[in-house]
Amino acid sequence: MLLTINQLGAVIALLFLSSLSLVAQTEATELNIPKKVYNTIAVKGEAPDIDGDLSDAAWNDVAWSSGYVEFQPDVGTEPTQQTKMKITYDGKNLYIAFHCLESDKSKIERRLGRRDDFPGDWVEINIDSYNDDRTAFSFTASASGVKGDEFVSNNGNFDSSWNPIWYLATGENEEGWTAEMRIPLSQLRFSAEEIQTWGIQSTRRYFANEERSTWQPLPANPPGWVSEFGELRGIKGIKPQKQLEIQPFVLGQYDTFEEEVGNPFRDGDDFGGNVGLDAKIGITNDLTLDLTVNPDFGQVDADPGAIALDGFEIFFEERRPFFVENKSVFDFRVGGGADNVFFPRRIGRTPQGGTTFDASKGEYEDFPTNTTILGAAKFSGKTKDGWTIGVLESVTGKEFAEIELDNREEITDPLDLDGLLGEKRKELVEPLTNYFVGRVQKDFNDRNSFVGGIFTTTHRDMERSLDFLHTQAYTGGIDFRHNWKDRKYYIEGRGIISRVNGDPQAILNTQTSLTHLFQRVDAEHLEVDPDATSLSGTGGNLAIGRGSGKWRYELGGNWRSPGLELNDIGFLRRADRIVQFASVRRFWNNSTSWYRQANVGVEQTTQYDFDGNFNRIQYEGRAEINWKNNWFTEVGGAHKPRIFINSFLRGGPRWRFNEENFYFAAVGTDQRKKLSAIAVYVNSQAKQDNFSLNRYELRLNYQPLDALSLSLSTEYEMNPNKTQYVSQQSYAPATFGTRYITGEIEQETLSATLRVNYNINPNFTIQYYAQPFIAKGTYTNFNFVADSDNENLNERVTLFNQNQISEVDGGYAVDEDVDGTTDYSFGNPDFNFVQFRSNLVARWEYIPGSEVFLVWSQGIEGGASSRESLTDAFDSQVLGQQIRNTFLVKWTYRFVL
């Protein structure tokens, strides 16, 4: 029996108040931990050599600081092995020395990895040089000499895309291993004050026990990371260093592919080159301008294979370095999921236009895969007064598809070069476009609170052939967060408003897109306006909760109005939603005789649309435990008694799925071992076998040598559904004059991801990535929607009988009234999609910040017969075809001025 709204509110309130009571009982046991202080002095003579040997005279002038305290798995206890730290400085650099004590040096794990892999034993320092309790710069040294560096934002979000220039050497002595760092002050941001006070924290990973200890002791589940740092004092007289780095690149690329006879664009190979420039300019000590001109991202991994039968765009993470670095400054999420006001993959996207290309006339087309980014600039940083500022500007150029008619058979004169080349034309498929993002936040209330805003614009230099695109798109938003009682509790929220302008065709396309569906036949609150030249909407969220301690909880909601549109420069999957959520989680942080750490939580969500329809309710539970032997187990499940989807019939009436129960279980072995594994099983089952899901995952990691690691992740999924959407066809006797057709699908997906990493040394690495992906769907038992919101599946749809439907060439014909005349038809929806991607990259950082890349990429995709099995489809479409090859050499040099 479903809860009424009042009953649901009472349950949520009771849950919230109960957790408050439990927290109050444990509040008194939580201690206020005093801040540690390290006092340093400047180098008096020669600066220390960065060689891993700590015998330099400069180190004798500063004291060791020790007293590290275990943070994981047992908070507040003495670590297995202690760590000592020293810090000194001069006018240009900060120097840090670590002595990681080890009574049994055979336990030191010196695994190699690429930058930011954090392999084996490591030690790191985090520096809050702004002293703002929210942002920090992190530098990590593995025992093998591998560097790691991250920018920390929002009091705990680590971004490994930040790659500063700094110097590291590690060594070994009779008492353990050592690390020595030199960090140029130009890579940090700090005020111009004569006497500096910085926040610092140091963490050591003791690999043998999978243990973390910290220099500044921390409580279990702290309310943040940077806010809990200790202090570095004694730095005097240093001057902010204005950063100026210029990094040009040069590349050459050679492509080979299967020759297509008669196709002038597919002659078997292609050669090209490119030059570009990246620059980083310190406008002030606080604010940095990043520039890129004609950027290249050839060494970036390809996106994983995926297929979506619901029609929605698939979300892929941004991987390009220019846009990834410091991306947290521009982040502005709209509730849960991937929805965001700024989604940088819109910049340089695949062109959105089409052409008049006609294969039946013997024409061939060369369609660009991406839009050229002419240039981009990013101005970002944080001032000593607590202002976080981000401005991003990018321009993408016009893109044209080339179309050529193969008329070589008509050539009579062998010297007729114009005839040999055939008829050519170019058609515009993407206009000149300007993208702008402005972001600001201001800390106040002793850095316990902030307010901020964001503004984005997209402007297109429109031409008539592309009038289906928006001419302008604007988004504005505000956000805030307030923490109190030592940051244990918080309230946060954000609100946004959007507006898009364009030709009536462009706005009509937006109104009727899958994201909006203003034409939905049973939506009384929506109406299509074919003459509209703009569309506006709002969105946002509000949440309150506790973010630290043994008990954590949150209560809140979010919304996206029907007219909200973000997809010109952001990401929005579905508008017209109102979501309420509540969650509680309990943590057990100290180990016992049988586990190290554990937590368990429950969550409840409901969903409505702006017409007041109650579309979904879900109850979910999840538990995680890390066993004493470092194996782990995760289990969870959900009950979904009510599932309505407005978009399932793509403009048709609201659709109901049967009640669903879902659960998953995962178990993993000790991930430190040379050979480790993770196995995952996911099961979902709806009543009346409406749909089900069985997913099997196996992930293997093997490290036979310190320099060599291999990982293989495989996934097999079966997802049958008796009512998978197929098509909609006009048919007068049908409700709304349209027949909505579904079918029973047997869907299988198989994928595998192989990664091989070999490290010649910490600065010379070789990585190989390969992923085959196969997705197959076979349809039977076609039916039409009779009563879309009926609880009984057999009343919801009506099966076509054998007299009503017949298979024809390329599809199906339906004679619904059995009068001997076809009433409507639809295509064969069966599919068998095969894709293979691989990337072999050799990367050599020959001096800090300057690199050489050698890349070999392969790729192919195609459609196999639906009668073929998954393995047969892979054999015919990958092993049996000529694969595209790309060979790329890229050289960069970073000038530091």
Side-chain angles (χ1 to χ4, degrees), residues 6 527 835:
N6 290 335
E527 183 178 358
Q835 176 180 282

Side-chain angles (χ1 to χ4, degrees), residues 728-777:
Q728 54 184 275
Q729 301 294 329
S730 297
Y731 184 56
T735 305
F736 308 116
T738 302
R739 272 291 182 237
Y740 299 97
I741 302 163
T742 72
E744 182 173 349
I745 184 176
E746 292 293 332
Q747 183 181 355
E748 295 178 279
T749 304
L750 177 64
S751 67
T753 302
L754 172 67
R755 293 184 183 273
V756 180
N757 294 288
Y758 182 70
N759 295 75
I760 297 172
N761 59 51
N763 299 314
F764 195 167
T765 61
I766 299 173
Q767 295 96 37
Y768 177 70
Y769 160 89
Q771 187 197 59
F773 174 83
I774 315 167
K776 177 183 177 182

Side-chain angles (χ1 to χ4, degrees), residues 40-41 43 48 50 59 86-97 125 127 129 139 166-167 180-186 188 198 200 232 235 238:
T40 187
I41 60 173
V43 174
I50 306 303
W59 291 122
K86 283 186 176 184
I87 303 175
T88 187
Y89 71 98
D90 59 24
K92 295 292 184 180
N93 300 283
L94 187 72
Y95 303 91
I96 302 105
I125 187 166
I127 304 169
S129 51
F139 303 87
W166 59 290
Y167 303 86
E180 203 170 16
M181 299 178 179
R182 175 167 71 89
I183 303 171
L185 295 177
S186 63
L188 303 176
W198 293 354
I200 59 168
L232 172 62
I235 297 179
I238 62 173

Side-chain angles (χ1 to χ4, degrees), residues 419-525:
L420 181 64
L421 295 174
E423 298 179 7
K424 291 183 178 181
R425 68 180 184 276
K426 291 184 177 181
E427 296 187 9
L428 186 67
V429 291
E430 186 77 19
L432 180 72
T433 306
N434 181 83
Y435 299 93
F436 172 85
V437 184
R439 183 77 163 104
V440 64
Q441 285 185 334
K442 176 65 170 72
D443 298 340
F444 64 99
N445 188 27
D446 196 23
R447 305 186 187 93
N448 286 304
S449 308
F450 73 78
V451 295
I454 191 170
F455 179 69
T456 75
T457 67
T458 303
H459 285 270
R460 295 184 174 93
D461 185 13
M462 197 61 67
E463 296 189 22
R464 191 64 191 171
S465 62
L466 297 175
D467 61 4
F468 60 89
L469 296 175
H470 300 141
T471 307
Q472 301 97 20
Y474 305 95
T475 305
I478 58 173
D479 62 338
F480 74 91
R481 182 179 174 105
H482 171 61
N483 302 284
W484 71 94
K485 204 167 187 180
D486 296 326
R487 299 178 182 262
K488 292 184 178 71
Y489 304 98
Y490 65 88
I491 182 171
E492 65 178 11
R494 56 183 57 87
I496 60 172
I497 184 169
S498 71
R499 178 184 175 91
V500 293
N501 299 328
D503 187 270
Q505 184 60 52
I507 304 304
L508 179 62
N509 289 347
T510 303
Q511 293 178 83
T512 56
S513 68
L514 195 58
T515 298
H516 300 276
L517 294 175
F518 276 30
Q519 75 276 26
R520 214 178 80 224
V521 295
D522 60 347
E524 296 182 359
H525 64 303

Side-chain angles (χ1 to χ4, degrees), residues 286-346:
D286 301 314
L287 302 172
T288 302
L289 177 64
D290 292 276
L291 300 171
T292 184
V293 179
N294 194 27
D296 169 76
F297 306 112
Q299 72 277 11
V300 176
D301 280 351
D303 291 322
I307 190 168
L309 297 183
D310 59 9
F312 285 102
E313 177 184 8
I314 299 172
F315 177 82
F316 291 115
E317 293 284 352
E318 176 61 78
R319 298 168 182 258
R320 298 169 297 177
F322 176 84
F323 295 106
V324 169
E325 184 177 353
N326 218 16
K327 64 181 173 60
S328 59
V329 171
F330 300 94
D331 197 50
F332 199 100
R333 295 192 178 273
V334 189
D339 293 351
N340 205 314
V341 170
F342 177 49
F343 180 45
R345 288 185 70 129
R346 300 299 184 206

Side-chain angles (χ1 to χ4, degrees), residues 808-828:
V808 296
D809 185 31
Y812 295 86
V814 178
D815 178 10
E816 188 172 319
D817 55 11
V818 198
D819 64 356
T821 301
T822 298
D823 295 310
Y824 49 88
S825 60
F826 57 91
N828 186 347

